[in-house]
Amino acid sequence: MLEIQNLVKVYPGAVAALQGVSLRVPLGMFGLLGPNGSGKSTLMRILAGLLEPTSGRVVLDGVDIVAEPQRVWPQLGHLPQAFGFYPNLTGEEMLTHMLRLKGVAAPRGAPKLCAELLERVNLTAAAKRKVKTYSGGMRQRLGIAQAISGDPVLVIVDEPTAGLDPEERVRFYRLLAELAENRTILLSTHIVEDVAMLCPRFAVIRQGRLLATTTPGEAREALAGTMFEGEVARAELEELAATHLVTQAHLVEGRNRVRLHLPAGAAPPGFAAALPTLEDAYLVLTRSAGETAAALPIRAAS
Ligand code: ADP
Ligand code: MG
């Protein structure tokens, strides 16, 4: 069990990246969902013992991560958001190098451990290829191989699916889901689909504060009866988005298809009740009316 208590991080220049975050992360997969700049990487780096918080505590299975990072390191794996590669090494060479740097125990020898880890992330066939020839998904899987070396109880993965193509993303989801069967995986992301696919529980972070800790089902349920969908002309769309919380404005067959959150009052003419999605729930939590107007690519509908 990972317990985060009232974590605050103020960077030099008075950037308050975390403003009192408290969270209990159970076994299995847990999502940390938030827009860019919300403090996800800051939190991840503190958990990984790479950054000192301004105040607050982080306790992993009874051990204080901030006070005794060396004691926690062997229990912990980390795939950073910007994971550096040695392009001219083969996958096998790079992993061997990283295991050495990490000081992972290999009682049956480093080559054997390396081969097992590559097998685990489905990279055996590419072990002898240079990393520069790897796809984005293969690189992320190599990153996971080092993160899970030493069989840590907690694995932290920071935006691992950003930049992967849809097929690679699905493959990566399967790997993470398997790995979460007997450990805690904390996954940070700004992609709602990541949470929908993987996370039985998740927290939403914005501007360094947690807005909710919930499940996908609960988050959708909270919006029951408040979502409406309809089509509008381009001229009406801007006005609608300025006064209502618009969670989606899509071009469908040349027409503007819009989803609105209406906690009270009557829906505009032509709008019908719609089932809430996780995307709706996320946008309702993190945005207010007017803000979505600027954030959604509604002008593309011209
Ligand atoms: P996320 O990972 O959710 O995109 P970050 O944790 O990277 O968010 O950043 C949170 C906030 O802290 C942002 O406003 C960012 O600009 C700021 N920030 C991040 N790293 C530093 C740093 N080293 N020095 C100053 N400000 C930083
Ligand atoms: Mg980040």
Side-chain angles (χ1 to χ4, degrees), residues 121-197:
V121 299
N122 208 358
L123 281 176
T124 302
K128 308 234 181 280
R129 268 170 57 189
K130 288 193 175 175
V131 173
K132 66 181 171 196
T133 71
Y134 280 19
S135 68
M138 291 167 81
R139 289 178 186 206
Q140 288 302 65
R141 283 186 277 132
L142 190 60
I144 285 290
Q146 66 75 30
I148 61 170
S149 64
D151 208 13
V153 296
L154 173 65
V155 175
I156 300 165
V157 284
D158 196 359
E159 302 244 16
T161 68
L164 300 192
D165 68 35
E167 200 178 316
E168 284 180 331
R169 187 171 289 174
V170 168
R171 188 185 261 243
F172 198 73
Y173 287 155
R174 290 197 189 288
L175 174 63
L176 285 181
E178 280 169 24
L179 295 173
E181 277 168 16
N182 51 0
R183 55 169 66 80
T184 297
I185 297 190
L186 182 60
L187 165 84
S188 96
T189 184
H190 68 275
I191 300 167
V192 175
E193 191 200 5
D194 288 355
V195 171
M197 297 291 274

Side-chain angles (χ1 to χ4, degrees), residues 1-5 7 23 25 42-53 55-78 152-156 184 186:
M1 165 73 82
L2 174 69
E3 186 153 3
I4 298 165
Q5 297 165 355
L7 211 55
L23 185 63
V25 184
T42 300
L43 178 58
M44 298 294 213
R45 288 169 56 217
I46 291 171
L47 298 183
L50 299 174
L51 185 68
E52 255 194 71
S55 60
R57 266 160 57 87
V58 183
V59 180
L60 176 63
D61 292 338
V63 180
D64 187 328
I65 286 186
V66 177
E68 302 186 88
Q70 319 84 313
R71 256 187 80 192
V72 178
W73 274 329
Q75 307 295 323
L76 198 139
H78 181 211
V153 296
L154 173 65
V155 175
I156 300 165
T184 297
L186 182 60

Side-chain angles (χ1 to χ4, degrees), residues 204-229:
V204 176
I205 186 170
R206 187 200 186 197
Q207 294 178 349
R209 295 178 202 275
L210 290 191
L211 302 179
T213 301
T214 183
T215 70
E218 271 172 25
R220 284 190 297 260
E221 186 61 28
L223 295 189
T226 69
M227 294 304 307
F228 295 86
E229 194 168 315

Side-chain angles (χ1 to χ4, degrees), residues 11-12 15-17 34-43 45 81 158-159:
Y11 284 112
V15 182
N36 285 333
S38 57
K40 301 182 298 295
S41 293
T42 300
L43 178 58
R45 288 169 56 217
Q81 182 168 3
D158 196 359
E159 302 244 16

